[in-house]
């Protein structure tokens, strides 16, 4: 009943309190009798085995700091993604799983290449509350990014934007869902406000039929935010 959550680059990639997503997963796991074991994976550490991998958001500076170590972890990350391990990546963490990031000045940062997509830095920030539709319900969060992400032909977005910008502000796609890898630009942090999203991640990681929790307060918050920002 132990579930290992690997938190990749927790010091560098933790923008807007994204580590709260890990706390949310732990809470919901414990309520169902699981024993979450959070393992921080920093620069120089092996990724190792895990049930859930979490990567938070960060700015260009933080991405540059970890870029060299990221290349050393590229094979492990690619294997995890394609072997259907359960992964949640937020904003900059999402971008790390792609091929490259091209900044506004034209310089290119090579990334893990685990998935076939890329990000191009824009001159204007895409900032504000976002609502998007997914197969497991509407998701609400907060986005703040200048990077525009473009998915390869074999990839599909996690959801479709109702309000906000999403991946690039052009095609109405938001995030990415590939096998059991979930990527999104939604900070906030996103999982406490979207219990169905959190449970979809837990269900895939455990392979279990989850007993329902009392999400009355979470659902009230979720529904109010959806109504307000849609």
């Amino acid at each position: 009943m132990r579930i290992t959550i690997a938190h990749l680059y927790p010091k560098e990639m933790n923008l807007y309190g994204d580590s709260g997503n890990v706390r949310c997963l732990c809470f919901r796991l414990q309520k169902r009798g699981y024993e979450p074991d959070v393992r921080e994976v920093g620069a120089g550490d092996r990724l190792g085995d895990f049930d859930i991998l979490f990567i938070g958001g960060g700015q260009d500076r933080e991405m540059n700091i970890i870029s060299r170590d990221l290349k050393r972890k590229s094979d492990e990350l690619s294997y995890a993604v394609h072997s259907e391990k359960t992964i949640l990546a937020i904003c900059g963490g999402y971008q790390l799983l792609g091929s490259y990031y091209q900044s506004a000045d034209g310089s290119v940062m090579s990334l893990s290449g685990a998935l076939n997509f890329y990000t191009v830095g824009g001159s204007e920030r895409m900032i504000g509350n976002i609502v998007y539709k997914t197969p497991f319900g509407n998701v609400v969060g907060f986005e703040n990014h200048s990077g525009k992400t473009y998915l390869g032909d074999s990839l599909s977005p996690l959801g479709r934007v109702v309000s906000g910008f999403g991946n690039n502000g052009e095609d109405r796609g938001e995030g990415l869902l590939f096998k059991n890898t979930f990527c999104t630009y939604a900070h906030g942090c996103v999982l406490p406000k979207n219990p169905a999203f959190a449970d979809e991640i837990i269900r895939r990681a455990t392979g279990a039929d989850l007993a329902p929790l009392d999400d009355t307060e979470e659902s009230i918050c979720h529904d109010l935010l959806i109504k307000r920002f849609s």
Side-chain angles (χ1 to χ4, degrees):
M1 297 292 282
R2 175 171 291 187
I3 298 295
T4 299
I5 302 175
H7 189 171
L8 184 58
Y9 304 127
K11 295 180 180 179
E12 297 85 358
M13 307 293 285
N14 184 26
L15 202 60
Y16 300 119
D18 284 336
S19 60
N21 291 302
V22 174
R23 295 180 65 182
C24 177
L25 290 171
C26 288
F27 176 83
R28 298 183 74 81
L29 283 163
Q30 288 171 332
K31 285 291 185 180
R32 294 181 168 101
Y34 291 95
E35 181 183 349
D37 177 21
V38 179
R39 181 168 50 84
E40 295 188 349
V41 181
D45 298 332
R46 285 192 57 107
L47 193 58
D49 194 22
F50 59 84
D51 298 293
I52 301 172
L53 172 66
F54 175 74
I55 318 172
Q59 298 179 340
D60 294 4
R61 176 181 176 275
E62 286 77 22
M63 291 174 65
N64 270 302
I65 289 172
I66 56 91
S67 60
R68 182 175 297 180
D69 184 77
L70 178 69
K71 295 301 293 182
R72 290 192 285 266
K73 290 181 170 65
S74 292
D75 287 345
E76 286 183 286
L77 282 169
S78 182
Y79 177 79
V81 167
H82 291 275
S83 62
E84 302 188 25
K85 300 291 281 187
T86 303
I87 299 169
L88 173 62
I90 309 289
C91 197
Y94 169 17
Q95 295 172 3
L96 292 183
L97 296 178
S99 301
Y100 66 85
Y101 177 89
Q102 180 177 314
S103 63
D105 64 10
S107 60
V108 176
M109 183 191 312
S110 180
L111 299 173
S112 72
L115 286 167
N116 178 30
F117 69 87
Y118 64 92
T119 303
V120 178
S123 58
E124 298 182 4
R125 299 202 70 79
M126 292 175 279
I127 181 170
N129 296 288
I130 182 172
V131 176
Y132 58 97
K133 293 182 178 180
T134 77
F136 36 89
N138 286 357
V139 172
V140 61
F142 176 81
E143 61 181 333
N144 184 359
H145 56 105
S146 61
K148 296 185 174 186
T149 294
Y150 299 93
L151 305 183
D153 292 338
S154 61
L155 299 177
S156 300
L158 172 62
R160 291 291 175 186
V161 173
V162 175
S163 64
F165 298 95
N167 283 337
N168 48 52
E170 300 165 9
D171 59 22
R172 310 307 292 173
E174 157 55 19
L176 179 156
L177 177 57
F178 176 80
K179 296 187 176 180
N180 293 327
T181 294
F182 298 80
C183 300
T184 180
Y185 272 111
H187 293 284
C189 44
V190 67
L191 294 186
K193 291 181 288 190
N194 299 278
F197 187 10
D199 280 353
E200 180 67 15
I201 291 169
I202 292 172
R203 185 186 67 77
R204 296 200 187 201
T206 62
D209 293 327
L210 301 179
L213 300 181
D214 181 3
D215 288 327
T216 302
E217 293 184 358
E218 291 88 342
S219 296
I220 290 172
C221 176
H222 172 271
D223 294 347
L224 285 173
L225 292 173
I226 293 290
K227 183 178 180 179
R228 181 177 178 183
F229 299 130
S230 293

